[in-house]
Amino acid sequence: MTSIRSIKGTQDILPGQSQRWQALETTIRNIMDTYGYSEIRTPAFERTELFSRGVGTETDIVSKEMYSWTDQGGENLTLKPELTAPVVRSFIQHNLGGQSPMNKLYYIDALFRRERPQKGRYRQFHQFGIEAFGSEHPEIDAEVIALAMTVFNNIGLEGLTLKLNSIGSPECRSDYRNALRDFLKPHFSDLSETSQKRFENNPLRILDTKVPHEIEILKDAPQISDSWTAEDKTHFEEVCSFLDEMGIQYSIEPNLVRGLDYYTRTTFEITSTALGAQNAICGGGRYDGLVEMLGGKPTPGIGFAAGMERILLALGNVETNSKTTQVYIVGLGDAVRPTVVKLAEDLRHNNIRTQLDVLRRSMKAQMRDANKSSATIAVIIGDKELKSGLAEIKDLKTGDQEPVKIKGLVDHINSLTL
Ligand code: ATP
Ligand code: MG
């Protein structure tokens, strides 16, 4: 029979790799804790409507990347392609804003997007991220950015660039949209089909283009900062000054924008030179209009999402300290089995990492396995040891061996530094 293979664009995380994931997750959790963020976990699937409203029908995610289906009860459901909309949904549903004026939430989760699989781009992938609800003030913008940079610096990512911009308030954006259209009108016939489509309904997204001659055209385009209100300007300057104060470097990118109306002010992206074409590690920004748009009380919010596969790719295959076996129990013969099974259990309850041969192998094969397992000591119990009540303890580094009472083994091993 042919064997069944995994779906294209999905990955198994095997032992060896899973240790790198755990190390990354532990760092993230510790740093979230230090900054006062609490974990939120939301379901794997939601109503499709949450994403069409919360992410926007014009985005790549909603227009072509969602895994959606109608279930047996006729409900339109979607595997979550991003986390901001589900977290906002949950924030509203459980009235978190009513319980506390400030809510700082984080997540580590798997997401699903039907993309063209390639290095750094998968159909199931993982993100960690945060959403901070309640403050419109620039100190939270700076904190959110600082947190992301702290995680990346802490895990040893190098070659990072923090790109920063402000897209101002919704009022300034309609001015800017007009200014941008006026500027692009004479170039309309030179624009790609995609950009021509965006021209009417969402010209800001044209700034996102990867087409070289469009980038060239856009060099002289008006900048969104020309349309900022006085408050937008102060807000951005304060974000920058707080980052300066914390010693965080950034580069201001006037074309770093988001197309949707509920995005406001700060936007940022973090890229790594250690990656190829898919070099974005983290994207974030402020979305002061989103909670209200999804049916909650008007609440300012800001967050980011970072791609974990890309982080691990950028880190390269650095060795992580994997935990190894400390004690290997070599049991020989039918009679000793209850004793060794119980001994292994007792050692493990004392937090000693213990391996027990369960293949009923020969003494020689078990000793070979013990040496390979990187255990520090082997405990050998055969019929003779069972009868005398004394197990042989072998130091696998020096080869020294000594008899120890089977009854006192756990205490004895506990007293050793393994
Ligand atoms: P891109 O422009 O690379 O498609 P995006 O704008 O779709 O990114 P976001 O939705 O902002 O990305 O997600 C935040 C981060 O999640 C990205 O910066 C990236 O690191 C990661 N990411 C996004 N899509 C994928 C994917 N299909 N596979 C792996 N990681 C991804
Ligand atoms: Mg994408």
Side-chain angles (χ1 to χ4, degrees), residues 44-258:
F45 58 103
E46 299 269 359
R47 283 179 215 289
T48 301
E49 188 197 351
L50 174 66
F51 302 111
S52 39
R53 266 170 69 187
V55 185
T57 46
E58 285 164 36
T59 57
D60 286 352
I61 293 180
V62 175
S63 65
K64 48 188 185 207
E65 295 173 358
M66 293 203 300
Y67 282 102
S68 302
W69 74 101
T70 311
D71 82 351
Q72 290 83 339
E75 292 211 76
N76 294 319
L77 304 174
T78 294
L79 287 179
K80 54 182 161 185
E82 62 97 53
L83 259 301
T84 303
V87 171
V88 170
R89 193 243 341 113
S90 179
F91 171 83
I92 297 168
Q93 185 173 335
H94 302 286
N95 187 28
L96 300 185
Q99 291 161 37
S100 165
M102 194 64 215
N103 280 272
K104 304 204 293 184
L105 308 170
Y106 85 90
Y107 57 79
I108 300 178
D109 212 341
L111 305 176
F112 308 86
R113 296 184 191 176
R114 198 172 191 293
E115 305 213 56
R116 196 166 66 77
Q118 54 199 286
K119 196 168 184 197
R121 194 176 288 288
Y122 310 98
R123 289 180 170 176
Q124 175 172 345
F125 64 100
H126 299 78
Q127 286 183 344
F128 78 90
I130 65 182
E131 313 294 349
F133 299 103
S135 171
E136 58 179 340
H137 299 301
E139 41 277 39
I140 189 71
D141 303 53
E143 177 181 293
V144 164
I145 293 170
L147 190 159
M149 293 305 286
T150 300
V151 172
F152 300 145
N153 290 329
N154 211 282
I155 57 181
L157 273 184
E158 283 165 10
L160 296 179
T161 307
L162 165 61
K163 300 174 180 170
L164 186 65
N165 194 22
S166 166
I167 55 172
S169 41
E171 305 84 70
C172 95
R173 221 137 350 118
S174 70
D175 280 357
Y176 179 63
R177 226 171 262 137
N178 291 334
L180 190 60
R181 275 201 205 97
D182 288 345
F183 168 81
L184 286 171
K185 219 170 253 162
H187 303 280
F188 189 82
S189 56
D190 295 331
L191 298 180
S192 65
E193 204 181 314
T194 321
S195 293
Q196 288 186 348
K197 248 189 245 155
R198 290 172 173 171
F199 183 87
E200 262 325 308
N201 49 23
N202 203 341
L204 260 70
R205 287 198 62 208
I206 299 177
L207 299 176
D208 252 353
T209 181
K210 306 275 181 309
V211 182
H213 82 264
E214 292 188 336
I215 295 174
E216 197 55 39
I217 294 173
L218 287 166
K219 279 206 175 120
D220 301 318
Q223 298 195 345
I224 200 155
S225 52
D226 302 334
S227 304
W228 286 346
T229 62
E231 292 79 27
D232 293 334
K233 184 165 184 284
T234 312
H235 192 278
F236 187 67
E237 284 169 356
E238 284 194 292
V239 173
C240 292
S241 82
F242 294 148
L243 292 175
D244 293 338
E245 200 63 46
M246 291 187 282
I248 297 171
Q249 288 178 4
Y250 51 90
S251 101
I252 297 175
E253 303 269 330
N255 285 354
L256 185 68
V257 296
R258 313 230 152 189

Side-chain angles (χ1 to χ4, degrees), residues 6-56:
S6 61
I7 310 289
K8 205 168 139 194
T10 67
Q11 300 186 97
D12 296 314
I13 299 168
L14 301 176
Q17 285 302 310
S18 60
Q19 283 149 0
R20 302 179 67 216
W21 281 84
Q22 287 171 5
L24 174 58
E25 288 160 10
T26 302
T27 305
I28 294 166
R29 290 185 194 286
N30 289 339
I31 293 172
M32 293 297 174
D33 206 35
T34 323
Y35 280 78
Y37 286 72
S38 308
E39 190 185 12
I40 181 165
R41 301 187 188 197
T42 63
F45 58 103
E46 299 269 359
R47 283 179 215 289
T48 301
E49 188 197 351
L50 174 66
F51 302 111
S52 39
R53 266 170 69 187
V55 185

